[in-house]
Amino acid sequence: MSRTARVERITKETKVLVEIDLDGTGTAEISTGVGFYDHMLHQIARHGGYDLTVRTVGDLEIDAHHTIEDTALALGAAFDQALGDKAGIRRYGSATVPMDEVLVRAAVDLSGRPYVVHDEPVLAPYIGPVYATSMTRHIWESFGQAARVTLHVDVLRAARPGGHPDAHHVVEAQFKAVSRALREATAIDPRAAGAIPSTKGAL
């Protein structure tokens, strides 16, 4: 059974196309106009093992907020669509990812109930010219809402000895940890025999 999705989201502020194959090989074609965000979405494809296409045209002449938010919403909707009734999946996934001085833990439940907990230290306001670090929490909240998942992302360690957190490392480690957790949760469980992993019979 194909676990793929194609989502288009068009507003007065953005035009977003997301295509995903949950059983891919980690290939990606990403273009949002926000370089650092493109780099992060590549992490989802590579570390999640998904084939992912993202094309976003947004009102970057204002700022990157709408572009980042609407892309996250479309990505979440694509995950939800590709998972279908979620029969046979593992449902839960977690990962702890180190990146130099940074350590991040992510846990996900493909529960059908959107809930996001996000904890990170205060970071430099921007990575690159347009990616506001305050958007990272908003990405997870938007993605979690649209994907209908419970997601916890905790930065366990960040500060370098005698220095401030490296914002690039802190955010990238989050994307890698979430991707690894999603990879586990969306995987087919060979012991499930196609059953929906809930005593309710639905997710």
Side-chain angles (χ1 to χ4, degrees):
M1 180 178 177
S2 174
R3 298 197 301 162
T4 62
R6 187 179 193 273
V7 170
E8 289 187 89
R9 177 183 173 87
I10 300 174
T11 72
K12 292 180 179 179
E13 299 163 340
T14 61
K15 181 178 180 181
V16 185
L17 169 68
V18 173
E19 296 177 332
I20 193 167
D21 182 349
L22 299 181
D23 301 307
T25 60
T27 63
E29 181 187 335
I30 312 291
S31 177
T32 68
V34 181
F36 180 75
Y37 195 32
D38 290 357
H39 182 44
M40 295 302 98
L41 295 175
H42 273 279
Q43 306 306 319
I44 290 178
R46 175 58 59 190
H47 295 283
Y50 308 124
D51 289 345
L52 179 63
T53 298
V54 178
R55 298 193 189 99
T56 303
V57 177
D59 54 358
L60 294 177
E61 71 280 3
I62 297 176
D63 68 9
H65 186 108
H66 299 141
T67 295
I68 292 171
E69 175 185 48
D70 288 1
T71 300
L73 287 167
L75 180 63
F79 265 88
D80 188 44
Q81 185 184 121
L83 284 165
D85 66 3
K86 302 176 185 175
I89 63 168
R90 293 186 182 274
R91 175 178 171 177
Y92 295 98
S94 63
T96 302
V97 170
M99 187 169 180
D100 297 348
E101 77 285 1
V102 175
L103 186 66
V104 174
R105 177 180 60 212
V108 65
D109 174 11
L110 305 181
S111 59
R113 299 185 305 277
Y115 198 94
V116 174
V117 177
H118 177 257
D119 182 40
E120 71 176 7
V122 176
L123 302 175
Y126 282 90
I127 301 172
V130 296
Y131 182 91
T133 54
S134 60
M135 287 301 297
T136 305
R137 175 191 293 271
H138 197 41
I139 290 167
W140 301 135
E141 290 172 340
S142 300
F143 173 81
Q145 173 190 336
R148 300 188 306 121
V149 303
T150 297
L151 176 64
H152 289 243
V153 184
D154 297 292
V155 179
L156 304 178
R157 186 174 301 117
R160 293 169 291 179
H164 299 289
D166 183 316
H168 188 131
H169 286 179
V170 170
V171 176
E172 184 168 341
Q174 289 179 56
F175 273 84
K176 288 178 175 177
V178 170
S179 302
R180 285 284 169 176
L182 284 168
R183 181 177 188 144
E184 182 179 349
T186 59
I188 298 298
D189 185 351
R191 298 176 60 187
I196 293 174
S198 171
T199 56
K200 297 182 180 69
L203 288 172

